Amino acid sequence: MTQAPVRMVGLGRQDRSDIASAVVEASLEIGADAQFIIDRSEIREFDQGMIDWRGILESNHWLVLSSSGPLDGDSMKWAWGSSLTFAELEGCKTAMLIDMPEDSRRLDEVWGSVIERIRQIHLLFIDPEAMKALAELEGTKVELLLKEVRSRSLVPIVCSFDPKEGIAHVSHSLGHEIVEVKERMSLERWLAGFLCGLPKSGSGESGIASAARSSPG
Amino acid sequence: MKGDPFGRTREAKGMSLKLGPAGVPLSCKGRTIVEGMDDITVLGLDAMEVQTVRTIQPQHFDQYWQAGILSWKSDFEMNMHGPYYAELLGSKRERNRTLSKMETSLQAGKIINARHLTFHVGPYGEYDPGPEANEQVANVMSGIVERVREVWGVEEEEEDYAAFPWVHESEPSLVGIETSGRQELWGTVEEVLEVCNHVEGTVPVLNMGHIHARGHGRLRTSEDYAELFDQARETYGGSTFYCHFAGVEHRMGNALHYTQIKKSDLKFEPFAEYLAEEGDWMDITIISDSPLLEHDAMYMLQHYDKARQRLLEIRARDERRAKLAAQQGIDPEELKRREEEAAAARKSQLTSELEGPPKKAPANKAPAKEKAGKTSE
C-alpha cells in the first residue's frame, strides 16, 4: 500500500525569496503535496481578508512560516498572525523557520514576535546563521541554545541543520538528537525531508531521529 | 468601556472573577495593547496580561501609558508578565541578568497600571529543593517587592506623577510568583505558597497547567480544585489569587507543551464548578495563556456562566421544594423522595408509550428457518 504524501502549506513572500518558500519548493521536489497560501506576484500588499484560512489549512500536516514574515508589510504581518491561529484551530502543526532578517538589527524584533506566539508553534527551526545572535539575545551559549529554547518555551521540536557539516541537531520533549546526514544537501532540502518524515515516523525518540536522518525522494 | 457591555456581572455573592487573555487577542486586527483592550471588552472579558519587552522604547511607553489610563478609568484589569525565563537561584551573574530583565517589567508595570506582575523563579541551580532554596527566593522576592514600591513613587513627588493618577490612588502592583511545570524548576504549589506567606506584597500565581503536569494530572475534579484552594487558604491565608489556565501535555510530572483546552486532559469544567459553588470568598483573576488566547478565555467564561446557571437552578428548585413542604406540613426530604418517585413513574410510563404494546409472536407463521427450508425444496 502506498502512503499518502505529506500535505503542507507555506506562507512565503510573493517573490519566493524567503526560507519558508524555499522549504515548500524543496518539499514539492521530494513528493510532498505542498502549496503556497499566497500566489507569486510582483505586488507586495495583498488582501489577507480574502484568504479562506479554514479551507486552506484543513487536513494539512504542516503550515510553514518564516520568522521574518511580520517585517514584510502589514498584509503579511496580519496573514502571518492569522495563519498561526487558524492552524491551531484546524489542527495543522506549525513549523516556524527563524532566519537572519535582511536587516540583522531587527532579529530582536523578529524573535519578540515569535516568542509572543511561541505556544502556537510545534517545530522551530533555527538557521545556523542566526544561532549566534539568538544565543546572545537569550543569554546562553550557542551549543546550548536549542536545548534552552526548547526547555524555556516548551515547543515540541527545536532544531537546526548545518549543511557544511551535514549535522542536524534536534531537541525535543524526550531528549536531544545529533544526527549525521550522509548525503550532502542544502538546509531547505534537509528541513523538507524532516517535515515529510515526521508524520510517518511518529513523535517518539526513534521516530524523530529517523525523520532527521531520512532524505526521502 | 466601563463594566460589562452585556450587563453581566461576575461578582455574585461577593466573589470577584476577572478573565482575559495573555496578550493582545489573536483576532485583533490592530496589534496595539489599547486596541487589544477594546477587543477584549467587546468579548465580555475584563483582564489582560501583557508580555514583557526587552526595553521600553518611546513607542512602548506611549502605548503602555494609554493602556494604563484606560484601565484606570474602567474596570479593566491590566497585568504584566515578567521575562519568560528566569534564573533567580543561579549564579550571581545569572541572577543579576534576570533581575535586570525584571526591572524593565517593573517600570512597564507602573506605566501600565499593572495589578499583578508575574515572575518565574527558574531552575533550582545549586540549591536542593527545600527551606534554603525557599529562603533565597523569599529574599530575592522581598527585594523585588521593595523595588516595585520604589518605582511606584513617593507622595512628595506628586507633581512628577500627575500623569499617573494610579500611583497615588491605588496600591503598587502585587508581585506574583508562578508555579512551575517541570521538576527541575523551583515552584511547586507548596514552595510558592510558603514564600508568598512570608513575603508581604506577593501573591501566588497558580498556573493550573503547570500544577496539573507536575502533579501527574492531579486536577481532574472540582474536589481537586477545592483541595488546592483549601491548601492555599491554610498556608498562604490570603483570598487574592492570580491563575493561568491552558491545556497541557505532560509526562512523568513534566509539562511537555501547551495546547488548547479542548485537546488536553486538564479540563476547565471542574474549575468552573468549584468557582461557582465554593468560590465566593475569592478575588480571582484567570488568564488564558493557551495557544488560542481569547478563544479559550471565552470558552472558560461560557463554562463558568453555565456552572453558575446550573447552581442557580438547583438552588431555586430546593427553595421551591422547601416552600411546598412547609405548605403541606411535611419534611422537604420526604417531598424530594415523593417527587423522585413521581418522576420515575412518569419516565417509565413515557418509555412504555414510546415502545408500544408488547409484540406477540405470530402464531400462524412458520419459523423463518423452516420457511427457508420449504422454499429450497
Short mmCIF file of all heavy atoms in Angstrom, two decimals, chain B residues 24 31 39 41 51 57 65 74 115 119 125 127 183 209 250-251 262 273 276 282 286 323 336 346 350 354 356:
data_model
loop_
_atom_site.label_atom_id
_atom_site.label_comp_id
_atom_site.label_asym_id
_atom_site.label_seq_id
_atom_site.Cartn_x
_atom_site.Cartn_y
_atom_site.Cartn_z
N VAL B 24 -2.31 40.54 23.42
CA VAL B 24 -3.29 41.14 22.50
C VAL B 24 -4.05 39.99 21.84
O VAL B 24 -3.42 39.02 21.39
CB VAL B 24 -2.57 42.00 21.43
CG1 VAL B 24 -3.53 42.52 20.39
CG2 VAL B 24 -1.82 43.15 22.09
N ARG B 31 -2.47 45.65 16.42
CA ARG B 31 -1.68 44.86 17.37
C ARG B 31 -1.27 45.67 18.59
O ARG B 31 -0.37 45.29 19.32
CB ARG B 31 -0.43 44.28 16.68
CG ARG B 31 -0.69 43.32 15.56
CD ARG B 31 -1.47 42.10 15.93
NE ARG B 31 -0.88 41.32 17.01
CZ ARG B 31 -1.54 40.35 17.67
NH1 ARG B 31 -2.80 40.10 17.39
NH2 ARG B 31 -0.96 39.68 18.63
N ASP B 39 -10.96 45.09 22.08
CA ASP B 39 -11.48 43.80 21.61
C ASP B 39 -11.85 42.89 22.78
O ASP B 39 -12.85 42.20 22.73
CB ASP B 39 -10.44 43.11 20.72
CG ASP B 39 -10.43 43.65 19.31
OD1 ASP B 39 -10.89 44.80 19.14
OD2 ASP B 39 -9.97 42.95 18.39
N THR B 41 -12.81 43.76 25.74
CA THR B 41 -14.05 44.25 26.37
C THR B 41 -15.26 43.85 25.55
O THR B 41 -16.29 43.45 26.10
CB THR B 41 -13.98 45.79 26.53
OG1 THR B 41 -12.74 46.11 27.13
CG2 THR B 41 -15.10 46.31 27.40
N GLN B 51 2.79 40.77 27.90
CA GLN B 51 4.10 40.12 27.98
C GLN B 51 5.17 41.20 28.03
O GLN B 51 5.05 42.23 27.38
CB GLN B 51 4.33 39.22 26.76
CG GLN B 51 3.21 38.24 26.50
CD GLN B 51 2.97 37.30 27.66
OE1 GLN B 51 3.88 36.59 28.08
NE2 GLN B 51 1.76 37.30 28.21
N GLN B 57 10.85 51.21 24.81
CA GLN B 57 11.17 52.25 23.84
C GLN B 57 10.04 53.28 23.82
O GLN B 57 8.96 53.00 24.33
CB GLN B 57 11.34 51.61 22.46
CG GLN B 57 12.64 50.83 22.39
CD GLN B 57 12.66 49.79 21.29
OE1 GLN B 57 11.68 49.58 20.60
NE2 GLN B 57 13.79 49.15 21.16
N TRP B 65 1.21 53.73 28.53
CA TRP B 65 0.56 54.80 29.30
C TRP B 65 -0.91 54.91 28.90
O TRP B 65 -1.78 55.03 29.76
CB TRP B 65 1.31 56.12 29.08
CG TRP B 65 0.67 57.25 29.82
CD1 TRP B 65 0.68 57.44 31.17
CD2 TRP B 65 -0.10 58.30 29.26
NE1 TRP B 65 -0.05 58.55 31.49
CE2 TRP B 65 -0.54 59.10 30.33
CE3 TRP B 65 -0.47 58.65 27.96
CZ2 TRP B 65 -1.33 60.24 30.14
CZ3 TRP B 65 -1.24 59.78 27.78
CH2 TRP B 65 -1.66 60.55 28.86
N SER B 74 -11.56 52.50 33.88
CA SER B 74 -12.58 51.47 33.68
C SER B 74 -12.34 50.36 34.70
O SER B 74 -11.48 50.47 35.55
CB SER B 74 -12.47 50.90 32.27
OG SER B 74 -11.24 50.22 32.13
N ARG B 115 -1.89 45.43 37.94
CA ARG B 115 -2.32 44.99 39.28
C ARG B 115 -1.45 43.83 39.75
O ARG B 115 -1.26 43.64 40.93
CB ARG B 115 -3.80 44.58 39.28
CG ARG B 115 -4.82 45.65 38.94
CD ARG B 115 -4.94 46.74 40.02
NE ARG B 115 -3.89 47.73 39.94
CZ ARG B 115 -3.21 48.22 40.98
NH1 ARG B 115 -3.45 47.80 42.19
NH2 ARG B 115 -2.29 49.13 40.82
N PHE B 119 6.20 36.63 37.94
CA PHE B 119 7.58 36.23 37.69
C PHE B 119 7.79 34.73 37.91
O PHE B 119 7.17 34.14 38.79
CB PHE B 119 8.54 36.98 38.62
CG PHE B 119 8.56 38.47 38.37
CD1 PHE B 119 8.14 39.34 39.35
CD2 PHE B 119 8.98 38.98 37.15
CE1 PHE B 119 8.14 40.72 39.13
CE2 PHE B 119 8.98 40.35 36.92
CZ PHE B 119 8.57 41.22 37.91
N GLY B 125 19.09 25.39 40.34
CA GLY B 125 20.51 25.77 40.26
C GLY B 125 21.33 24.96 41.25
O GLY B 125 21.25 23.73 41.28
N TYR B 127 20.95 24.90 44.41
CA TYR B 127 20.18 24.56 45.61
C TYR B 127 19.45 23.23 45.44
O TYR B 127 19.10 22.84 44.32
CB TYR B 127 19.12 25.64 45.89
CG TYR B 127 19.71 26.94 46.35
CD1 TYR B 127 20.14 27.88 45.41
CD2 TYR B 127 19.82 27.25 47.70
CE1 TYR B 127 20.68 29.10 45.82
CE2 TYR B 127 20.36 28.47 48.11
CZ TYR B 127 20.79 29.38 47.16
OH TYR B 127 21.31 30.58 47.56
N GLN B 183 9.94 19.41 36.95
CA GLN B 183 10.54 19.00 38.22
C GLN B 183 11.83 19.76 38.53
O GLN B 183 12.16 19.96 39.69
CB GLN B 183 10.82 17.49 38.22
CG GLN B 183 9.61 16.63 37.90
CD GLN B 183 8.57 16.59 39.01
OE1 GLN B 183 8.89 16.77 40.18
NE2 GLN B 183 7.32 16.38 38.65
N GLY B 209 -2.09 24.57 34.48
CA GLY B 209 -1.44 23.62 33.56
C GLY B 209 -0.17 23.07 34.21
O GLY B 209 0.10 21.86 34.15
N HIS B 250 1.59 16.43 29.22
CA HIS B 250 2.59 16.21 30.25
C HIS B 250 3.00 14.74 30.31
O HIS B 250 2.28 13.86 29.83
CB HIS B 250 2.06 16.67 31.61
CG HIS B 250 0.77 16.02 32.00
ND1 HIS B 250 0.70 14.92 32.82
CD2 HIS B 250 -0.52 16.30 31.66
CE1 HIS B 250 -0.56 14.57 32.97
NE2 HIS B 250 -1.33 15.38 32.27
N ARG B 251 4.17 14.53 30.90
CA ARG B 251 4.70 13.17 31.01
C ARG B 251 5.66 13.14 32.19
O ARG B 251 6.48 14.05 32.33
CB ARG B 251 5.44 12.85 29.70
CG ARG B 251 5.96 11.44 29.60
CD ARG B 251 6.48 11.23 28.19
NE ARG B 251 7.05 9.92 28.04
CZ ARG B 251 8.34 9.67 28.19
NH1 ARG B 251 9.18 10.61 28.49
NH2 ARG B 251 8.79 8.43 28.04
N LYS B 262 -9.40 22.24 24.87
CA LYS B 262 -10.17 21.08 24.40
C LYS B 262 -9.29 19.86 24.13
O LYS B 262 -9.76 18.74 24.10
CB LYS B 262 -10.93 21.45 23.13
CG LYS B 262 -12.24 22.14 23.41
CD LYS B 262 -13.00 22.34 22.13
CE LYS B 262 -14.22 23.20 22.34
NZ LYS B 262 -14.81 23.65 21.08
N GLU B 273 -16.96 24.70 38.02
CA GLU B 273 -17.91 24.17 39.01
C GLU B 273 -17.47 24.58 40.42
O GLU B 273 -18.29 25.04 41.21
CB GLU B 273 -17.89 22.64 38.88
CG GLU B 273 -19.15 21.95 39.31
CD GLU B 273 -19.01 20.45 39.02
OE1 GLU B 273 -18.96 20.07 37.82
OE2 GLU B 273 -18.90 19.71 39.99
N ALA B 276 -18.04 28.35 40.91
CA ALA B 276 -19.45 28.71 41.05
C ALA B 276 -20.00 28.27 42.41
O ALA B 276 -20.77 28.99 43.04
CB ALA B 276 -20.26 28.06 39.92
N MET B 282 -13.33 34.32 47.19
CA MET B 282 -12.12 34.62 46.44
C MET B 282 -12.19 35.90 45.62
O MET B 282 -13.26 36.30 45.17
CB MET B 282 -11.84 33.48 45.44
CG MET B 282 -11.63 32.17 46.09
SD MET B 282 -11.83 30.90 44.85
CE MET B 282 -10.16 30.53 44.57
N ILE B 286 -8.26 35.06 36.21
CA ILE B 286 -7.80 33.90 35.44
C ILE B 286 -7.37 34.37 34.05
O ILE B 286 -8.15 34.99 33.33
CB ILE B 286 -8.90 32.82 35.31
CG1 ILE B 286 -9.40 32.40 36.69
CG2 ILE B 286 -8.36 31.60 34.56
CD1 ILE B 286 -10.55 31.42 36.67
N LYS B 323 -40.52 25.43 50.33
CA LYS B 323 -41.76 26.21 50.47
C LYS B 323 -42.97 25.28 50.40
O LYS B 323 -43.86 25.34 51.25
CB LYS B 323 -41.84 27.22 49.32
CG LYS B 323 -42.33 28.59 49.72
CD LYS B 323 -42.16 29.48 48.51
CE LYS B 323 -42.71 30.84 48.72
NZ LYS B 323 -42.49 31.68 47.55
N LYS B 336 -38.97 15.49 48.51
CA LYS B 336 -37.98 15.18 47.47
C LYS B 336 -38.14 13.72 47.03
O LYS B 336 -38.13 13.41 45.83
CB LYS B 336 -36.57 15.41 48.02
CG LYS B 336 -35.47 15.26 46.99
CD LYS B 336 -34.11 15.44 47.60
CE LYS B 336 -33.03 15.15 46.59
NZ LYS B 336 -31.71 15.11 47.16
N ARG B 346 -43.30 8.67 35.84
CA ARG B 346 -43.55 9.37 34.56
C ARG B 346 -42.61 8.85 33.48
O ARG B 346 -43.01 8.60 32.36
CB ARG B 346 -43.32 10.88 34.74
CG ARG B 346 -44.59 11.66 35.07
CD ARG B 346 -44.42 13.14 34.76
NE ARG B 346 -43.20 13.72 35.30
CZ ARG B 346 -43.07 14.20 36.53
NH1 ARG B 346 -44.08 14.13 37.38
NH2 ARG B 346 -41.93 14.71 36.94
N LEU B 350 -43.64 6.94 30.05
CA LEU B 350 -43.25 7.52 28.76
C LEU B 350 -42.50 6.48 27.92
O LEU B 350 -42.73 6.33 26.72
CB LEU B 350 -42.36 8.74 29.01
CG LEU B 350 -42.10 9.64 27.82
CD1 LEU B 350 -43.40 10.36 27.43
CD2 LEU B 350 -41.04 10.68 28.15
N LEU B 354 -43.67 4.91 24.28
CA LEU B 354 -42.82 5.01 23.08
C LEU B 354 -42.58 3.64 22.45
O LEU B 354 -42.52 3.49 21.24
CB LEU B 354 -41.47 5.65 23.44
CG LEU B 354 -41.51 7.16 23.62
CD1 LEU B 354 -40.18 7.66 24.16
CD2 LEU B 354 -41.83 7.85 22.30
N GLY B 356 -44.65 1.06 22.74
CA GLY B 356 -45.92 0.48 22.30
C GLY B 356 -46.22 -0.81 23.05
O GLY B 356 -45.42 -1.24 23.90
#
